Amino acid sequence: MSELKSILKDLVLRGGKKEKKTEEEYFLDYYNKYKSKNEVDESSYTKIPRFYFKVPTKEEVLPHRLREDARAMFIQTRSKQWLDNSELETLWLLLDKHHSPPTSGDEQMINYENFCKVAKLAGPKCKSYLSPVVFAKLQQDDVFGRVSIMSLFNYVMRKVWLHQTRIGLSLYDDAGHGFLCESDLENYIQDLIPTLLQLDGLEKSFHSFYVCTAVRKFLFFLDPLRTGKVRIQDILACSFLDDLLQLRDKELSKDKQKSNWFSATSALRVYGQYLNLDKNQNGMLSKEELAGYGTGTLTKVFLERVFQECLTYDGEMDYKTYLDFVLALENQHEPQSLHYLFRILDIKNQGYLDTFCLNYFFREIQEQMSQYKQNAVSFQDVKDEMFDMIKPVDPTKITLQDLLNSGQGETLVSILIDLNGFWTYENREAMVAETTESSADV
């Protein structure tokens, strides 16, 4: 009863007087009381070291310049840690002096005891190159437990080259993030051209097209998700730089030049094809012009899809997009090429190819066969063969992973997009028999 009286009294007082506190103020009072009861000692937070530093922008002149100078000093310090030419010569002389007889054929060998002696005499710089782990990895079942001096020296040379190249590439990574964007790669290759003896005869007017052709291979194979950047680590791990620097050899054979994407012969071939396809000479390719690519047997449906999925300008393809197209078709066995082609074949963007997708592309093959007055082939038979060939996890659909796992992705794609590819597949047994007969005659 007393509680009821106090509540009524409070209501009367509130009705008679203007309420001093707002709802927000009442809330803050209760919140502060609650917080004071549950307060935690936050003094330890000030002792945690800072682990993230935002990269300064170019507008922040002083921090940006400071960071650039610090990176330059770091790279310079790191470059001094690797062996130079004179030190490599000294190492070779030490290995030659401490080789362990008998020789294995014409090859000198070294045992572990002498290996350790060389490691001490070679100095501190060679310590990481001449470790026990390296010796164990270079073992080749020698009966005396030795390793080849040439194999060991080649290993050291390769490591030194990788470190030097890593530093060289880092100079083009202004932000220091560990990757190069398209413009960084273009600058790197542009600066590299004067050192490539095989490109001496290349006209300067063609240099920009050469750089574009070379950079496209790096981006196509090392950046399949099209992020616009390539990790320096991936550049070093692949063989592209080896192919590129192979052009320093002035006596490189014509066969190697032909198979090397970065050679002047290869670059001129690709650019020449592009110019030949460009009938109206506007610097771009239409669907009708691209239809003349290769043997001219690519299906219209496939070309239509290429122009739907790839970057075009007013319905026409530029040179960069054309280079992606060429790289995909010339390297259909590579995962990146299959990724490119699968995206085009997946007309419904559903992540797999079903019977509808396969039939959609194969109908064009059937129409081309009838135009050339060839016997019609049943889609049902070809469909069963394709599924048997790929052996997908789900028997009703073929995913990109199924194509990669099967090792037959290149064959399936060529059946669907190219009459010549389908004809080759269809007559594979006769072609094998012809090859066998010609080999026997020889």
Side-chain angles (χ1 to χ4, degrees):
M1 197 69 182
S2 60
E3 288 180 9
L4 182 61
K5 286 181 180 179
S6 64
I7 292 171
L8 289 171
K9 186 178 179 182
D10 186 49
L11 288 172
V12 170
L13 288 171
R14 286 189 182 186
K17 294 181 181 179
K18 189 177 180 180
E19 192 172 348
K20 293 181 180 179
K21 292 185 178 181
T22 62
E23 289 183 5
E24 184 178 352
E25 289 171 333
Y26 275 113
F27 170 77
L28 289 172
D29 287 344
Y30 283 116
Y31 175 74
N32 290 328
K33 287 177 185 177
Y34 174 79
K35 189 179 178 183
S36 62
K37 290 179 184 177
N38 298 278
E39 215 167 50
V40 181
D41 181 21
E42 298 179 356
S43 59
S44 63
Y45 292 171
T46 59
K47 299 176 184 177
I48 298 174
R50 186 176 177 183
F51 57 88
Y52 173 72
F53 295 87
K54 187 178 179 182
V55 177
T57 61
K58 289 185 179 180
E59 286 72 26
E60 301 172 89
V61 180
L62 187 59
H64 183 73
R65 182 62 186 272
L66 181 63
R67 189 172 188 278
E68 280 188 340
D69 291 346
R71 265 192 90 243
M73 288 182 66
F74 171 75
I75 291 172
Q76 188 177 10
T77 304
R78 293 288 288 180
S79 63
K80 290 178 181 178
Q81 296 176 3
W82 316 129
L83 302 177
D84 57 28
N85 290 336
S86 62
E87 289 166 329
L88 285 168
E89 285 180 22
T90 303
L91 176 62
W92 174 254
L93 292 172
L94 285 170
L95 290 170
D96 183 53
K97 183 180 177 181
H98 292 84
H99 74 273
S100 309
T103 58
S104 177
D106 295 331
E107 206 168 8
Q108 289 183 323
M109 311 292 284
I110 188 170
N111 60 26
Y112 185 65
E113 184 180 351
N114 287 337
F115 173 82
C116 293
K117 287 180 183 177
V118 172
K120 286 182 181 178
L121 293 170
K125 274 192 179 183
C126 291
K127 189 175 181 181
S128 62
Y129 300 107
L130 303 177
S131 66
V133 174
V134 171
F135 187 88
K137 284 182 177 179
L138 294 174
Q139 285 284 342
Q140 294 179 342
D141 300 324
D142 180 69
V143 291
F144 300 102
R146 304 168 301 173
V147 299
S148 163
I149 285 178
M150 185 57 71
S151 298
L152 176 59
F153 189 70
N154 285 339
Y155 166 80
V156 175
M157 289 278 287
R158 179 69 179 172
K159 287 283 284 185
V160 170
W161 178 83
L162 282 171
H163 290 313
Q164 290 174 343
T165 308
R166 177 71 173 85
I167 290 169
L169 288 168
S170 297
L171 295 174
Y172 294 85
D173 176 18
D174 292 334
H177 289 310
F179 57 78
L180 300 180
C181 63
E182 186 173 358
S183 60
D184 297 330
L185 280 167
E186 287 174 351
N187 293 333
Y188 174 72
I189 292 176
Q190 184 70 51
D191 293 342
L192 203 62
I193 288 177
T195 69
L196 305 177
L197 299 178
Q198 284 292 332
L199 302 181
D200 281 349
L202 209 61
E203 292 183 10
K204 286 190 176 180
S205 59
F206 185 69
H207 281 191
S208 60
F209 293 101
Y210 174 81
V211 169
C212 178
T213 306
V215 167
R216 213 66 213 156
K217 183 163 186 176
F218 284 95
L219 291 171
F220 182 83
F221 287 104
L222 303 182
D223 181 30
L225 298 179
R226 302 294 179 264
T227 60
K229 56 191 178 184
V230 178
R231 293 195 308 167
I232 292 176
Q233 184 178 346
D234 293 337
I235 295 174
L236 294 171
C238 72
S239 64
F240 298 161
L241 275 183
D242 291 334
D243 295 340
L244 186 59
L245 298 179
Q246 192 180 50
L247 302 180
R248 287 177 173 171
D249 183 4
K250 200 167 186 178
E251 298 179 359
L252 192 67
S253 67
K254 289 185 178 179
D255 289 337
K256 287 186 177 179
Q257 288 184 46
K258 191 175 180 181
S259 61
N260 190 331
W261 174 266
F262 301 102
S263 70
T265 305
S266 178
L268 289 167
R269 172 184 64 84
V270 175
Y271 187 65
Q273 288 175 348
Y274 184 79
L275 292 179
N276 289 334
L277 291 172
D278 185 16
K279 301 301 182 185
N280 60 4
Q281 298 182 354
N282 68 340
M284 308 283 276
L285 297 183
S286 63
K287 278 178 281 191
E288 293 73 23
E289 289 172 332
L290 188 61
Y293 174 81
T295 56
T297 52
L298 291 172
T299 63
K300 292 179 182 177
V301 175
F302 170 67
L303 294 173
E304 185 74 37
R305 282 290 298 153
V306 169
F307 277 78
Q308 287 175 3
E309 287 294 322
C310 298
L311 178 65
T312 56
Y313 302 89
D314 294 328
E316 292 197 315
M317 178 184 289
D318 70 344
Y319 186 53
K320 287 184 180 180
T321 308
Y322 173 75
L323 287 172
D324 287 344
F325 178 80
V326 172
L327 285 165
L329 292 184
E330 289 189 356
N331 303 274
Q332 290 184 36
H333 57 285
E334 295 291 345
Q336 295 88 344
S337 299
L338 288 174
H339 188 279
Y340 174 98
L341 294 165
F342 184 85
R343 182 163 52 92
I344 292 169
L345 294 175
D346 183 13
I347 54 176
K348 294 190 282 187
N349 294 320
Q350 54 195 2
Y352 59 84
L353 308 178
D354 53 16
T355 303
F356 177 83
C357 289
L358 300 178
N359 188 33
Y360 180 82
F361 285 96
F362 191 72
R363 278 183 304 180
E364 182 80 20
I365 297 289
Q366 290 174 315
E367 289 177 14
Q368 287 187 347
M369 290 179 71
S370 63
Q371 288 174 10
Y372 288 104
K373 298 180 180 179
Q374 295 183 13
N375 295 329
V377 178
S378 167
F379 168 71
Q380 195 63 35
D381 294 340
V382 175
K383 183 203 77 171
D384 293 340
E385 285 184 33
M386 286 190 284
F387 274 94
D388 290 341
M389 182 196 313
I390 303 301
K391 296 181 175 57
V393 176
D394 186 329
T396 63
K397 58 183 73 169
I398 297 172
T399 64
L400 175 60
Q401 195 59 50
D402 292 328
L403 285 183
L404 298 173
N405 293 341
S406 69
Q408 299 292 327
E410 178 183 3
T411 305
L412 180 133
V413 169
S414 62
I415 290 172
L416 294 174
I417 69 172
D418 186 3
L419 176 61
N420 193 35
F422 174 73
W423 185 90
T424 303
Y425 171 76
E426 196 67 2
N427 296 276
R428 60 194 181 282
E429 293 177 1
M431 292 174 73
V432 169
E434 281 182 19
T435 306
T436 306
E437 287 177 10
S438 61
S439 299
D441 290 341
V442 171

